[in-house]
Amino acid sequence: MNTLSYIVIFSIIGSIVSLIGGVLLLSNQKSAHKLALYATPFAGGALLAAVFVDLLPEGIEYESASTVLIATMTGMIIFFLAEGGLRWFHHHHEHEHGHGRQSSPGLIVVGDTVHNALDGVAIAASFMISIPTGVVTTLAVAAHEIPQEIGDFG
């Protein structure tokens, strides 16, 4: 089986799991909110673990450590500034009782679209390195993406 076949297979599996999760969450909003409280931190932890345990060491095998770390830091700064810029153009409404903030559905959709596109780029690039790296990256993205999508959906 070639690399493209693996990419397509894992993309389809991820889509089916996400669809099933979305349908289940539509049926029970209370459980979706409760799950989001635990799934969001898990999604962040899964992503960080995959980056620091697998992806950065793999990148350092192909490039110098300083190049990989500078690229990583540059990406973090770009997304930090982008998030700050998007928040600057978006204001939040306080609830009647002063609880937290509401997120704009449009902002969530735009952010999620960019996020999913970059996840796809990461998965495709990792499969170009090797099939085992691609599989590990796909599983890490799924472990991150599925809870994150559940949180957004909830």
Side-chain angles (χ1 to χ4, degrees), residues 3 7 54-55 58 62 118-141:
T3 304
I7 293 171
D54 186 52
L55 297 177
E58 184 84 23
Y62 292 95
L118 291 174
D119 283 345
V121 169
I123 290 170
S126 66
F127 270 105
M128 292 174 72
I129 293 170
S130 71
I131 291 174
T133 300
V135 171
V136 167
T137 303
T138 301
L139 293 174
V141 167

Side-chain angles (χ1 to χ4, degrees), residues 20-107:
I20 291 169
V23 169
L24 291 174
L25 289 174
L26 276 175
S27 65
N28 191 348
Q29 188 176 13
K30 185 179 177 182
S31 64
H33 179 68
K34 187 174 182 177
L35 182 61
L37 292 174
Y38 297 105
T40 303
F42 175 78
L47 180 65
L48 289 172
V51 166
F52 286 104
V53 173
D54 186 52
L55 297 177
L56 288 178
E58 184 84 23
I60 290 171
E61 288 181 17
Y62 292 95
E63 280 293 329
S64 69
S66 62
T67 302
V68 172
L69 295 176
I70 287 171
T72 302
M73 189 169 74
T74 301
M76 291 171 65
I77 290 170
I78 288 170
F79 281 98
F80 176 76
L81 294 174
E83 180 186 18
L86 288 173
R87 286 182 187 262
W88 187 73
F89 287 110
H90 173 76
H91 70 281
H92 299 284
H93 302 282
E94 293 296 315
H95 292 246
E96 289 179 17
H97 304 291
H99 299 292
R101 63 181 193 230
Q102 284 181 285
S103 296
S104 165
L107 193 58

